[in-house]
Every structure is written in structure tokens, then in C-alpha cells.
Amino acid sequence: MEKDRLIESNGDVVGQAGERVAGTTESSDPIDKASRTENKGGSAWPPGIRIWTPPLESMPEDVMFPLAWEEMMCRRVGEGEAPIMHIWRHPYALTIGMRDRRLPRAPQAMDKLRGEGCSVAVRVSGGAAVPLDEGVVNVSIILPNPDRKLELHGDFERMVSLIAGAASPWTSESKAGEIAGAFCPGDYDVSVNGRKFCGIAQRRQTKAYILTAFVIAEGSGEERRRLAREFYDEASGILRPGQAYPDVREGSMASLDELAGVPSAEAYMASLVEWMIEQAGASVLNEGPELPLDELDRLSAELKTRYDRD
């Protein structure tokens, strides 16, 4: 498998060798209208973005499949195919970071969840454990980078503007900045009233990259927090929270339903699509790009071999 990993980050901005980049920002101010509309006319997003939203019922049981799909699409975009926005959900899964996978009892914790019908995968992008279900919306935008520019702060800020812009029909109180006690913490957490509903990460290949986010749109934020904490309690062994893994605490997470009255995950997804059409001139695909299933299966297996290991 080609060695295309340059950066894996979840909002704690890191450089190519993993060192922290100076100037990481946190904001406690609401994301104002100007920042939500700065992409008008496509000035901040490249032209030609397509939107693909696969039906929930079409999602394979293995959560590695949509991650592999994005890896393959990233390679295609790097080769000249138009950029694409991927909006998807999974019935029941937990994605974890590579650091999580190195916890003393991570294999046992993963096997326990799999025995309960939960699909578990080590995520290719940065970050830590994130529970997924029908109420959690995953948003990925795959963009070309032929000049191999590194604009981490700007990329995260664009994604924050998108997430907040899609939530703006229900709330204008979205804020960016790390939320203590939340799962998958990062400097570009998005929250309302001090409770996180969204985390942002990115994954870079040689000539393209993926900006990705999870959004807890409906249901209980506390239930998702509890699942993440239970994974860490099982996986950590004798290690203590803090340095080795996030200290996931009660009261840190909530859904947009709880925070702002967003009626459903579908309603938020529709708002995401509307925002990108209006602000970036995106177009909606009726069918997803054709990718060879055998190659996707092979790539899924390669990603598991590469990342899901001690």
C-alpha cells in the first residue's frame, strides 16, 4: 500500500512529524454570520463539488467500508476527479484512533463490542473514539491539493463554518473550541452552551485530502458519551485518563436535538446540502461514483492490516 499518510489530525493541529503547530486557536464566541457566509460564490471552496448521500439502508455492516470508500475517492480526486462531499450514517459502530488501539486491553474491548453487534474500526484520520448510530451524521469533503499546501487552521475553520452554517436555522450559538471532558477532543470542537455536538478531523494524501466531521444530530449525547467511556474503561487496563486517553466526563456531550431542537438527523443533512449548494455552488448526485467493489474490499483489508494492529 502506498505510503500516502502525511497528516492525521483532529483539530489539535499537528505537523508532519506530529509536532504541535504554534498558534492553535480556540474561540468561545458564537460563529457569526460573516464567517458562515464567507464561502459565498465559492471563494473558499473549489468549484465543482459534488454531494453524495448514500441511503442508510445501503450502508454495509462493516464501518470500515465508508472509510475505505473515502480513501479511494481521495486518490481519485488527487488524480483529477472533481471534489466530493460524502454525507453518511451507520446503524451502530465505534471508530477509534490509532492511539486508542495501543491501549493495553484495546483488542479485548473491541471484541466485546463486536460481540454485542457493534462494528469497530481504527479510523484512518486523527482523533479518538467516536460512537456512531443513526442519529450521528458523518460529513466528509474530499478536496484536491495538487500543490501540497498545508493550511490546517484555514481548513478546520472552513469545516466549522459549514457545520455551524447548517445548524443556523435552529441556533446561532455554535462555538469553536475544545470542550473539556468530551470524547474525541480537539481545538475545533463545535458546541452550544458548553456541550459538544461535533468533532472535526482531517486526513491527507499526497495530492488530495479529506476534511471530516461527526455531528450528533439527534438522540442522547450522554448515551454516546457513556459508550465511549465504557470502551476506555475496558481498554485502558491500569492506565488512567488524561495522557493515555481522553477523560470522557458526564455533561460534556449533547445532540443538536437536545441543544437546539433540530428535529432529526435527516433535517440536519438536508440543511448541510442546502448550505453547500447555496454557499459553494455544489451539485447533488443521484447515484454515487462507481468504484470497483473488489478494490474496495481489498483496500478495506489493507487499512485494517495497516491500522488495526498492536
Side-chain angles (χ1 to χ4, degrees), residues 10-287:
N10 70 314
D12 268 338
V13 183
V14 297
Q16 185 162 337
E19 73 278 8
R20 192 174 179 85
V21 176
T24 301
T25 59
E26 296 183 13
S27 172
S28 60
D29 297 326
I31 299 164
D32 59 24
K33 186 176 181 180
S35 68
R36 290 199 302 269
T37 59
E38 64 183 359
N39 298 335
K40 195 79 171 179
S43 59
W45 297 100
I49 294 178
R50 304 163 293 163
I51 302 174
W52 170 234
T53 306
L56 176 63
E57 57 271 18
S58 72
M59 186 59 58
E61 182 178 339
D62 186 356
V63 73
M64 183 57 81
F65 182 88
L67 304 180
W69 188 94
E70 291 180 355
E71 282 289 293
M72 187 172 290
M73 282 304 306
C74 194
R75 294 179 186 179
R76 288 195 171 194
V77 170
E79 293 167 355
E81 194 165 319
I84 190 165
M85 179 179 186
H86 185 211
I87 306 172
W88 59 278
R89 293 179 291 161
H90 191 279
Y92 183 34
L94 180 76
T95 61
I96 66 173
M98 289 181 286
R99 191 177 183 186
D100 296 332
R101 179 61 179 79
R102 292 193 290 267
L103 290 171
R105 290 185 53 80
Q108 292 88 338
M110 295 165 72
D111 287 343
K112 180 180 177 181
L113 284 168
R114 287 169 176 148
E116 297 169 356
C118 180
S119 178
V120 185
V122 181
R123 199 167 52 251
V124 180
S125 62
V130 176
L132 303 180
D133 55 55
E134 295 183 11
V136 179
V137 178
N138 300 282
V139 188
S140 296
I141 303 182
I142 304 172
L143 301 170
N145 188 25
D147 299 326
R148 305 185 186 185
K149 293 181 180 179
L150 190 61
E151 299 176 348
L152 289 175
H153 293 289
D155 289 331
F156 281 121
E157 287 165 2
R158 282 196 291 175
M159 202 64 170
V160 168
S161 294
L162 165 62
I163 299 303
S168 63
W170 299 278
T171 179
S172 60
E173 298 300 316
S174 298
K175 300 177 183 179
E178 183 171 342
I179 298 300
F183 60 70
C184 199
D187 288 349
Y188 289 90
D189 291 346
V190 189
S191 63
V192 172
N193 295 329
R195 290 193 289 172
K196 174 177 175 176
F197 68 87
C198 168
I200 297 173
Q202 64 174 274
R203 155 76 169 166
R204 287 183 176 262
Q205 294 184 3
T206 304
K207 295 183 179 180
Y209 64 107
I210 308 170
L211 295 173
T212 185
F214 70 86
V215 179
I216 306 175
E218 66 175 83
S220 169
E222 176 59 21
E223 288 184 7
R224 279 75 172 229
R225 183 210 66 85
R226 188 180 301 114
L227 193 154
R229 182 58 192 241
E230 288 174 355
F231 165 77
Y232 284 125
D233 287 345
E234 178 72 25
S236 58
I238 62 172
L239 300 179
R240 299 181 64 84
Q243 282 295 105
Y245 62 97
D247 184 8
V248 181
R249 301 194 299 270
E250 189 174 353
S252 59
M253 308 293 303
S255 69
L256 281 172
D257 173 17
E258 295 170 311
L259 295 169
V262 175
S264 65
E266 290 84 357
Y268 184 75
M269 292 165 68
S271 189
L272 280 168
V273 171
E274 181 180 352
W275 196 93
M276 284 299 287
I277 290 173
E278 179 181 342
Q279 305 297 333
S283 60
V284 178
L285 295 175
N286 294 321
E287 296 182 359

